[in-house]
Amino acid sequence: MAGAGIVVVFDFDKTIIDCDSDNWVVDELGATELFEQLLPTMPWNSLMVRMMEELHSQGTRIEDIVAVLKRTPIHPRIIEAIKSAYALGCDLKIVSDANTFFIEKILEHRGLKECFSEIHTNPSFVDEEGRLRIFPHHDFTKSSHGCVHPSCPPNMCKGTVIQKIQASLSMEDHKKTIIYLGDGLGDFCPSLKLGDGDYVMPRKGFPVWDLICKNRNLIKAGICEWSNGDGFEQVLLHLITRISIYGNNTGADTGPLYSVDCKIETMPLSAATNAEAFSKALPVFH
């Protein structure tokens, strides 16, 4: 299939969905004031653990949280882009500082969960009392994850996750190309781990975009910006088509993808990127 040699790794908050899922749940359940009071006093991941405890003690049911998650805003073109990339045979993964419950409930509601082979995030589950329990991806109370980059939170270094994905891919027969999409500070470290022939798609005007523009010489991967759902779909499907035709040969004479000031050039889409031109792959359940 066209995308068989491509691994697309997505951040979740403000990348797949158009908000921060933690903030969305807290705000929609009327707990913003408490959240903002506690925010300066503890790490974000620990704060969400505390917020779930507080909401549960106030009578919030897990069904209330699910109802809020089903209303999470997501651009329709992003939904279609993910389905198209999956149908083209790409291996899709999520690396996020959200949590499994939030991510899986949103993906299930949007019919997207089967598209992803792996979700790397903070683990969570509903206990016997009906309370959502959230745990750190890396237990920073016992040890550091080892990354000293200031953009990585203590509970998760996405760069480390990308390195583990790369190590797994290196054991396969054919070299895979990675496309990484993100928006936040935590998405800078994994961008640094990508190599020649890979691509990073930072969301323009967001923290990772600013860091990449200020540290462009540190990025080995091709850089392709996007701003909204339409751009997300256009750029991602164009990249998949480009890689399918030329492989990960960034020296191929295919025209530039970006200019020196980090602004992507207009890229006309081939008719071949239309999802309807490809048959849908069989779903993989996990």
Side-chain angles (χ1 to χ4, degrees), residues 10 15-18 73-86 92 110 112 116 181 201 203 226-238 240 269 273-276:
F10 301 84
T15 298
I16 289 180
I17 61 173
D18 207 19
I74 178 170
H75 196 287
R77 300 321 307 168
I78 288 180
I79 295 174
E80 292 307 311
I82 290 171
K83 290 181 177 179
S84 296
Y86 174 65
L92 310 185
R110 300 292 183 170
L112 295 174
F116 295 93
L181 297 89
M201 287 178 54
R203 189 170 187 180
W226 62 282
S227 297
N228 53 33
D230 291 327
F232 179 109
E233 180 183 45
Q234 182 187 33
V235 176
L236 178 59
L237 296 187
H238 177 92
I240 292 171
L269 284 180
T273 61
N274 189 331
E276 295 178 358

Side-chain angles (χ1 to χ4, degrees), residues 98-284:
N99 66 80
T100 52
F101 188 84
F102 287 5
I103 292 174
E104 290 183 356
K105 290 302 178 183
I106 293 171
L107 293 179
E108 286 171 1
H109 180 63
R110 300 292 183 170
L112 295 174
K113 186 179 177 183
E114 70 176 31
C115 296
F116 295 93
S117 64
E118 294 179 347
I119 298 176
H120 301 267
T121 188
N122 298 299
S124 59
F125 72 94
V126 180
D127 67 17
E128 63 278 1
E129 298 178 358
R131 179 181 62 175
L132 180 61
R133 304 286 300 277
I134 301 174
F135 300 87
H137 179 268
H138 173 82
D139 188 354
F140 57 92
T141 63
K142 295 182 178 179
S143 66
S144 167
H145 51 51
C147 180
V148 297
H149 202 284
S151 65
C152 293
N155 63 293
M156 187 177 201
C157 170
K158 293 184 180 182
T160 300
V161 177
I162 287 295
Q163 288 179 313
K164 291 179 179 178
I165 292 173
Q166 289 171 322
S168 177
L169 295 176
S170 68
M171 300 174 66
E172 299 184 12
D173 293 335
H174 301 287
K175 179 174 173 54
K176 299 288 184 73
T177 298
I178 296 177
I179 303 173
Y180 185 91
L181 297 89
D183 71 281
L185 292 174
D187 297 310
F188 183 63
C189 188
S191 301
L192 296 173
K193 308 303 182 185
L194 302 178
D196 292 332
D198 294 326
Y199 294 90
V200 57
M201 287 178 54
R203 189 170 187 180
K204 184 179 180 182
F206 284 72
V208 71
W209 167 257
D210 295 332
L211 278 175
I212 286 176
C213 287
K214 291 175 183 176
N215 300 276
R216 187 184 182 86
N217 62 312
L218 300 179
I219 306 296
K220 298 177 182 178
I223 304 169
C224 305
E225 73 173 57
W226 62 282
S227 297
N228 53 33
D230 291 327
F232 179 109
E233 180 183 45
Q234 182 187 33
V235 176
L236 178 59
L237 296 187
H238 177 92
L239 272 179
I240 292 171
T241 300
R242 174 191 175 102
I243 295 165
S244 299
I245 295 173
Y246 298 101
N248 54 15
N249 180 13
T250 54
D253 186 16
T254 59
L257 280 171
Y258 55 86
S259 60
V260 293
D261 61 352
C262 292
K263 292 190 171 81
I264 194 167
E265 298 189 357
T266 302
M267 302 184 300
L269 284 180
S270 164
T273 61
N274 189 331
E276 295 178 358
F278 299 87
S279 59
K280 186 173 178 62
L282 292 175
V284 178

